[in-house]
Amino acid sequence: MTHESTAVGLASAYSNATTASGDWWRDAVIYQVYVRSFADSDGDGIGDLRGVRSRLPHLARLGVDAVWLTPFYVSPQADGGYDVADYRAVDPLFGDLADADELVRAAHELGLRVIVDVVPNHTSEQHPWFRAALAGEPGARERYLFRRGRGADGSLPPNDWESIFGGPAWTRVADGEWYLHLFAPEQPDLDWTHPEVTAEFDSVLRFWLDLGVDGFRIDVAHGMVKADGLPDIGRGAQATLIGTEPLPFFDQDGVHEIHRAWRRLLDSYEGARIGVAEAWAPSSERLALYVRPDELHQAFNFRFLNCPWDPGAMRTVIDESLSATTAVGAPTTWVLSNHDVVRHVTRYGGGAQGLARARAAAMLMLSLPGSAYLYQGEELGLPEVADLPPESRQDPAFRRGRRQQIPVPAVDPAPGPGPAAPGIIAPRPGEPTPPQSAPSPHSQPESGAGPQPHACCGPQTRAGAGPGPDPLTAPQAHAPTRPQAETGTGAQPQACCGPEAEMGGGAGGDPLTAPEADGQDGLRDGCRVPIPWAGAEPPYGFGPVGSWLPQPPEWAGLSVAAQTGDPHSTLELYRAALELRRAMPGLGAPEAGPSPDPRGMRWLPSPDGVLLFTRPGFACTLNTRPEPVELPAPGRPVLSSAPVQTDGRTVRLPPDSCTWWAF
């Protein structure tokens, strides 16, 4: 039995109760579109909103419920658009506001909801507010966290906080004051105690809700409130502490009042508009606070993504995640890949083994109670592109050692990002003058202190690295790692969202020639290569001409067109799984509200290396072993990631496979 023998007839027999009730988000499958790499409509090699709109039928046919768009707002692109200069305008790189409006309308006509990013912890340094702050406009600095420095002459940072991207979290401006930036210097943190900040973001949310979006993915939802007095931490390597212990700049209790206010705002609109927290907390219980009934609807659960190919670890993560969210009556979310981590085909070992495990993991994820997030191209089985040439790489992390001084905007704080006027913010103590290099086509600006990757999630450490902020060895929040050797237990997951010891690589050296620059270590470009749609050669239908990152020649066989209709393809496996997920009443979300066990999920005894659980009318088996395993058949097979052999009484599960059963 192979996955092409799916019992499609089930689709007409059942409907998902949660979807019918209007709480669509409780069991939604949400597809993340990295706009720059999805589809290019105008031939500049960069994806845009019109391109996304043209490919929405693919998502409708795939069977997802909603699409999440990464930032497309006006931005200098110092951190992939997570440095916003105008929250109410579309960057010309991606189109205009009319394109956004038409995309939302087209998605709704296809039955797809639209979620957009909002970035409330910080703005771009080119935001009019920050330009006004640097220009000395009265009261402008009160919207940000400006402080006098320590020491007799104020030449030391106000406290010992470190940027998630390495180095101090403070930059000194020309008049001697310092401003806080938990991420890149181009991303100054806002002060959420200021009433204008609160009012501004209420207005921003209403702007996009009025345009018709169905919700927001809230970037750094745990970071807007800092502890009173901004106390020292007293330790270095602070990025490695994120998600493991309390920190004065993350997960402060005050953020929950912000999210409660936003929930009231969302609830004032018709159509179940939702908020999704990208949040890190020291425990599952703390994370669950973000999804209490009067707060946000979902919070990203990165522990599943970070889990090794090990059944014991998987079961622990599943149980703890469900327990925490069940206690507050919220659904759990599951995710395997996104725009900041190595694709899970590669994380699970690469090649045939990595693909087999990735297919099985996707089926496991889609069978669990709650909501699932898919990253563009995973339905095609795309691997990480680990051999991009240096001249094509765009992630600012690649040149993170090439720090430059930050220009000060003109004295006239004119609206809009605009070009910066001459002027220099004081460099960090001991920082060398950076070497210069020629930009590549479509390269992102390298103004500022070499922006680091955006920390949507948690930390990682590099074995042998010292506590200092060397740009190549300091902990990086989103530093993809080279896949480990195939040892039989599988490659360890990329530590986008948790500590990881990365072996190899020394400190110092030119970032273009040091060992860390080989492969994709510390970079995010490999998961952002534009996806293939059709054709025998690049750009595979991505756009009229080339693509901003080169696509591998072997991707011709992985395109949407090549896989459509092939019952053994990864694309058709995803389509079948999503159809069955809608059709089978035992899949999807648990009932709302706390109860002893609203999930209807029960673990059953199984051989070593195998997970077996049931839900109403449904069973799932996952074999993580490198060899087949025999066990009693738990029902009638309806879908499998690899061919299974069964006589109706016993089943022979293939290695690295997942099978769904009806009974």
Side-chain angles (χ1 to χ4, degrees), residues 292-315:
R292 287 176 289 189
D294 62 343
E295 293 198 34
L296 300 175
H297 300 76
Q298 295 183 346
F300 282 135
N301 173 17
F302 295 113
R303 294 186 63 200
F304 187 73
L305 178 152
N306 223 27
C307 193
W309 186 251
D310 175 84
M314 290 177 176
R315 178 168 174 172

Side-chain angles (χ1 to χ4, degrees), residues 311-324:
M314 290 177 176
R315 178 168 174 172
T316 297
V317 166
I318 292 168
D319 283 344
E320 291 181 354
S321 300
L322 289 171
S323 177

Side-chain angles (χ1 to χ4, degrees), residues 158-179:
N159 65 21
D160 67 356
W161 293 2
E162 296 173 355
S163 165
I164 306 304
F165 299 151
W170 297 89
T171 288
R172 198 178 192 191
V173 300
D175 63 10
E177 282 201 317
W178 299 73
Y179 69 89

Side-chain angles (χ1 to χ4, degrees), residues 62-133:
L62 184 62
V64 301
D65 301 289
V67 55
W68 155 32
L69 302 172
T70 55
F72 50 80
Y73 315 113
V74 171
S75 167
Q77 301 293 320
D79 184 28
Y82 286 94
D83 51 317
V84 181
D86 187 341
Y87 289 86
R88 297 177 183 82
V90 174
D91 195 293
L93 190 67
F94 305 119
D96 56 29
L97 196 58
D99 293 323
D101 180 67
E102 291 170 5
L103 191 160
V104 171
R105 292 174 183 273
H108 288 169
E109 289 174 0
L110 291 170
L112 298 169
R113 292 174 169 88
V114 179
I115 296 169
V116 298
D117 258 296
V118 65
V119 187
N121 179 71
H122 48 263
T123 70
S124 165
E125 64 170 349
Q126 294 296 314
H127 191 283
W129 278 5
F130 195 70
R131 292 167 61 87

Side-chain angles (χ1 to χ4, degrees), residues 34 36-37 80 338-343 375-376 383-399 440 442 444 453 478-480 517 519-530 548-552 555:
Y34 188 71
R36 194 181 184 100
S37 297
N338 63 38
H339 67 294
D340 285 317
V341 302
V342 170
R343 287 185 176 275
Y375 177 52
Q376 64 176 48
E384 187 82 356
V385 180
D387 57 355
L388 290 169
E391 62 273 13
S392 72
R393 294 179 180 173
Q394 302 295 306
D395 191 337
F398 182 64
R399 302 181 187 276
S440 60
H442 307 303
Q444 297 179 5
H478 278 231
Q520 291 298 105
D521 290 0
L523 310 178
R524 299 172 294 175
D525 287 324
C527 65
R528 300 177 177 183
V529 174
W548 68 283
L549 286 173
Q551 301 156 301
W555 276 16

Side-chain angles (χ1 to χ4, degrees), residues 391-464:
E391 62 273 13
S392 72
R393 294 179 180 173
Q394 302 295 306
D395 191 337
F398 182 64
R399 302 181 187 276
R400 61 186 179 266
R402 297 174 178 263
R403 298 183 181 276
Q404 298 181 12
Q405 295 171 326
I406 304 174
V408 175
V411 173
D412 176 20
I424 296 295
I425 287 179
R428 295 187 179 91
E431 237 177 37
T433 300
Q436 302 299 312
S437 59
S440 60
H442 307 303
S443 63
Q444 297 179 5
E446 290 185 16
S447 63
Q452 304 301 309
H454 183 264
C456 84
C457 353
Q460 70 185 49
T461 60
R462 186 189 303 274

